[in-house]
Amino acid sequence: MASALSGAGRSYRHDSLAATPDKCTLGRVEVKEVCHEYLSPTDKTPVAALGPVSLQVSAGEFLCLLGPSGCGKSTLLMIIAGLFNPTAGTVVVDGVAVTGPSRERGVVFQDYALLPWKTVRSNVALGPRLAGASRREANQVADEFLELVGMPQAGDRYPHELSGGMRQRAAVARTLAAKPKVLLMDEPFAAVDAQTRGVLQEELIGIWARTAQTVVFVTHSVEEAALLADRVVVMSTGPGRVQEEFPVTLPHEDRFSRESATRVAEVAASLLASVRTAQPRRPRRGGSWSG
Amino acid sequence: MNTSERPKASLRPSTFARRAVLRPGLVPVAVVLGMWALLPSLDHLPVYKLPHLAQVASELWHLAVTGAIFNALGDSLSRLAIAFVIGATLGVAVGVAVALSRALNDFLMPLIAFFNAIAGIAWIPLAIVWFGFGSGPVLFVIANNVFFIVLYNTLLGAERIPPVMYDAVRTLGGDRRRTIVREVLVPGAMVGVLGGLRTGLAFAWRALVAVEMIAASNGLGFMSIQASRVFDGSTVVSVILVIGTVWVLMDRLLLRPVEALTVRRWGMLGGADL
Ligand SMILES: Nc1ncnc2c1ncn2[C@@H]1O[C@H](COP(=O)(O)OP(=O)(O)OP(=O)(O)O)[C@@H](O)[C@H]1O
Ligand SMILES: [Mg+2]
């Protein structure tokens, strides 16, 4: 145990935030024939929620998972993270099958999941700390990442003292500070206002351009997918499957400009058409879909 | 995580501390004392049933000057401290172990549920047989009482930790056991633990006096029961006043500050305070 930990310590290297070239070759995700069943809470019979789903994400790609509520997006993301074991199929990252969670696959949870008993700085420093960095070193890294997400002054505050948007940034900073190869984000900006969302989206793309991490980004919003993705995977319900894939070829650096707004809107419109056909035939209220 | 009712939390500790020290409910206390002072003149209440305020005050003064009340208080408080530390330490330790291990949980939970239902005081007769009169049975009964209260609340606290907290730490590189206990289980259960310590201390303090009445030969409880045997109501009431005052002080000077530094600061209390 001790040796494994000290080994882990050496593996945390804090280079500058600039992309290191070799990073682009890491973080390739392959989802192979993955199915997932939940036990129904009433009679304990298995209910198919997902799959079979197969998809590939290349290293450094920004992939958006888009689909109606309840189609299994979160389930798929948790399976890639290694937090759920799929009922069937495997997830392979850089040639190695996923068997459990790892710091190589960082997750930004929908409800932030910041630890309330830690200051924002300590939350962000947790990844480096667990990788063996000293407290000083980890705090320094944390401050850099807090700066990166635009909240350099918030380090000493506790999560409950932050606004929703700031919590979201802190959660993103915490996941980034652990230097994952793959960034898994579950509707990270769903709970913030439109204005903040726009800022966060642009910041995320800026950060991603520098770190060159692979991103799997779950969203409900066709506009968000059109703004962010290299490729959009539209899923359908009952049980969740891949319905259609859309490469988005607009250059990332242009998408936030006013001139390209119409082109982004066109992409969003075609995504919307696809999502419409992915809706279940008997539409249900949102509440009954999410666990 | 419930985030809606938190904004004021960070302001609370300081206002709390100031309010507790400067204005410990003086007005209601004065009203009750006033009623007590008037009572004998309204009715023909015999002194042995309820001693006069003035008598109690002079008795309290006497007990303080001779040091008798401080000796008794010292005896009781040191018992409380020892029993509380033993019970609370074991309670938290077993609570964390049970929260961690399903096997231990399955084995111990029925036992815990059973023994938790037995009021600490029900052990007195057996404790006297085991330890003889004196501190032994008092410590046993009180530590036992504290242990189950703290254990139970620790488990409740652990149960209420949102599973996503564990997921977050695991995806940041936390291994299942060590870091999870340190980073999530222990701090996350803190609301429960502190609640348990507070309830445990409150119960222990009440029960302590009762057990001392039966099983000890010193301490506040003994002082009170001795006085009642010679119809010395003033001393009995003096002891009651001391017991109440000491509890209020313990709560305000010890428990609340600890809470203010931890769970209250973390925004983990909904804002309801006991
Ligand atoms: N713990 C659970 N137990 C039983 N069924 C579940 C559980 N979690 C999810 N499900 C079911 O599995 C399906 C997929 O759920 P999932 O949360 O992955 O959907 P989603 O696409 O993320 O939805 P949303 O967009 O609303 O977040 C849903 O039908 C849901 O009801
Ligand atoms: Mg979801």
Side-chain angles (χ1 to χ4, degrees):
Chain A
M1 187 100 284
S3 66
L5 271 168
S6 59
R10 256 169 262 124
S11 80
Y12 187 85
R13 217 178 294 116
H14 178 56
D15 7 85
S16 79
L17 296 168
T20 41
D22 65 316
K23 262 190 179 155
C24 299
T25 63
L26 290 174
R28 180 183 159 73
V29 180
E30 293 161 87
V31 176
K32 296 178 175 171
E33 299 288 317
V34 161
C35 298
H36 198 71
E37 290 171 348
Y38 287 105
L39 293 183
S40 124
T42 44
D43 53 4
K44 301 289 168 210
T45 53
V47 179
L50 180 71
V53 167
S54 295
L55 54 91
Q56 274 95 43
V57 196
S58 14
E61 186 180 20
F62 198 121
L63 182 90
C64 275
L65 285 180
L66 186 65
S69 192
C71 71
K73 303 181 296 291
S74 298
T75 306
L76 179 57
L77 208 67
M78 293 302 115
I79 288 171
I80 298 174
L83 290 168
F84 289 0
N85 278 327
T87 319
T90 51
V91 175
V92 176
V93 175
D94 292 330
V96 183
V98 167
T99 54
S102 138
R103 73 167 64 96
E104 312 223 299
R105 278 162 279 120
V107 182
V108 179
F109 295 90
Q110 187 166 355
D111 45 4
Y112 324 123
L114 295 167
L115 305 177
W117 45 86
K118 282 183 178 294
T119 60
V120 170
R121 180 178 296 108
S122 304
N123 262 288
V124 179
L126 191 56
R129 284 288 287 158
L130 291 174
S134 72
R135 189 175 297 275
R136 238 193 74 241
E137 207 182 340
N139 283 340
Q140 200 182 319
V141 176
D143 284 336
E144 267 173 59
F145 277 94
L146 284 172
E147 175 113 42
L148 187 72
V149 297
M151 41 189 289
Q153 272 102 42
D156 292 319
R157 294 162 76 177
Y158 282 88
H160 75 101
E161 299 167 327
L162 304 181
S163 70
M166 290 171 88
R167 277 180 219 177
Q168 197 51 267
R169 285 166 201 242
V172 170
R174 179 176 70 174
T175 306
L176 289 175
K179 304 276 176 78
K181 291 193 290 190
V182 181
L183 202 55
L184 306 167
M185 307 178 87
D186 194 353
E187 300 187 36
F189 306 145
V192 298
D193 64 275
Q195 169 101 35
T196 312
R197 189 180 311 134
V199 174
L200 291 176
Q201 285 166 338
E202 199 163 350
E203 275 173 10
L204 176 65
I205 288 299
I207 293 166
W208 168 73
R210 279 187 278 173
T211 58
Q213 282 151 315
T214 308
V215 180
V216 180
F217 188 106
V218 169
T219 180
H220 266 129
S221 152
V222 289
E223 288 82 12
E224 188 165 57
L227 266 177
L228 301 178
D230 283 323
R231 185 161 53 106
V232 182
V233 168
V234 177
M235 292 175 66
S236 59
T237 39
R241 286 171 211 250
V242 174
Q243 152 151 329
E244 218 172 333
E245 294 194 12
F246 291 83
V248 185
T249 48
L250 300 174
H252 280 283
E253 56 276 18
D254 291 350
R255 292 193 203 175
F256 293 91
S257 71
R258 195 166 298 159
E259 300 82 66
S260 45
T262 44
R263 280 190 296 164
V264 172
E266 278 165 27
V267 175
S270 55
L271 291 176
L272 186 61
S274 176
V275 172
R276 285 249 169 84
T277 62
Q279 295 286 1
R281 251 152 271 121
R282 282 179 299 123
R284 295 193 214 169
R285 296 298 311 150
S288 62
W289 291 101
S290 48
Chain B
M1 273 201 332
N2 180 0
T3 54
S4 61
E5 42 195 347
R6 286 180 183 168
K8 270 185 289 175
S10 64
L11 292 175
R12 296 196 92 137
S14 59
T15 24
F16 233 118
R18 226 173 294 138
R19 213 200 297 156
V21 175
L22 293 184
R23 195 175 56 79
L26 284 181
V27 175
V29 169
V31 169
V32 171
L33 289 180
M35 281 165 59
W36 181 12
L38 290 176
L39 209 59
S41 55
L42 292 179
D43 196 358
H44 304 287
L45 206 60
V47 169
Y48 70 89
K49 283 200 177 162
L50 184 68
H52 292 175
L53 174 60
Q55 282 178 309
V56 172
S58 89
E59 178 63 35
L60 206 50
W61 178 250
H62 174 72
L63 289 173
V65 170
T66 59
I69 195 83
F70 294 117
N71 289 338
L73 182 61
D75 292 332
S76 293
L77 279 181
S78 58
R79 279 181 188 138
L80 180 75
I82 295 169
F84 182 74
V85 168
I86 295 173
T89 312
L90 289 176
V92 173
V94 175
V96 168
V98 170
L100 269 180
S101 153
R102 179 154 298 263
L104 207 58
N105 182 70
D106 292 348
F107 180 77
L108 282 181
M109 273 325 274
L111 295 177
I112 290 170
F114 179 79
F115 284 108
N116 194 37
I118 303 173
I121 299 175
W123 289 100
I124 294 176
L126 209 53
I128 292 175
V129 174
W130 289 344
F131 301 103
F133 281 88
S135 285
V138 182
L139 291 179
F140 173 79
V141 170
I142 303 305
N144 177 54
N145 210 334
V146 171
F147 171 76
F148 282 105
I149 292 171
V150 172
L151 169 59
Y152 208 73
N153 280 278
T154 303
L155 286 173
L156 275 185
E159 239 167 58
R160 292 211 189 107
I161 301 172
V164 73
M165 300 281 152
Y166 294 99
D167 291 347
V169 173
R170 289 171 70 202
T171 53
L172 288 169
D175 56 89
R176 263 174 183 277
R177 274 292 141 105
R178 239 169 44 104
T179 46
I180 296 278
V181 173
R182 195 182 59 215
E183 304 293 347
V184 184
L185 185 57
V186 170
M190 206 61 166
V191 178
V193 171
L194 289 183
L197 292 180
R198 196 166 174 182
T199 322
L201 194 59
F203 265 77
W205 184 231
R206 288 165 177 72
L208 179 81
V209 177
V211 185
E212 280 180 343
M213 287 183 179
I214 300 168
S217 51
N218 56 8
L220 289 174
F222 178 76
M223 183 181 222
S224 167
I225 201 83
Q226 276 298 88
S228 80
R229 286 183 186 132
V230 294
F231 301 100
D232 175 4
S234 304
T235 302
V236 173
V237 175
S238 296
V239 168
I240 289 175
L241 292 178
V242 169
I243 290 169
T245 309
V246 167
W247 169 254
V248 170
L249 291 178
M250 279 198 290
D251 192 48
R252 308 237 157 161
L253 300 180
L254 196 70
L255 297 177
R256 292 198 182 190
V258 169
E259 211 173 73
L261 282 177
T262 54
V263 289
R264 207 170 274 286
R265 187 150 170 241
W266 302 338
M268 287 172 72
L269 288 186
D273 37 86
L274 274 167

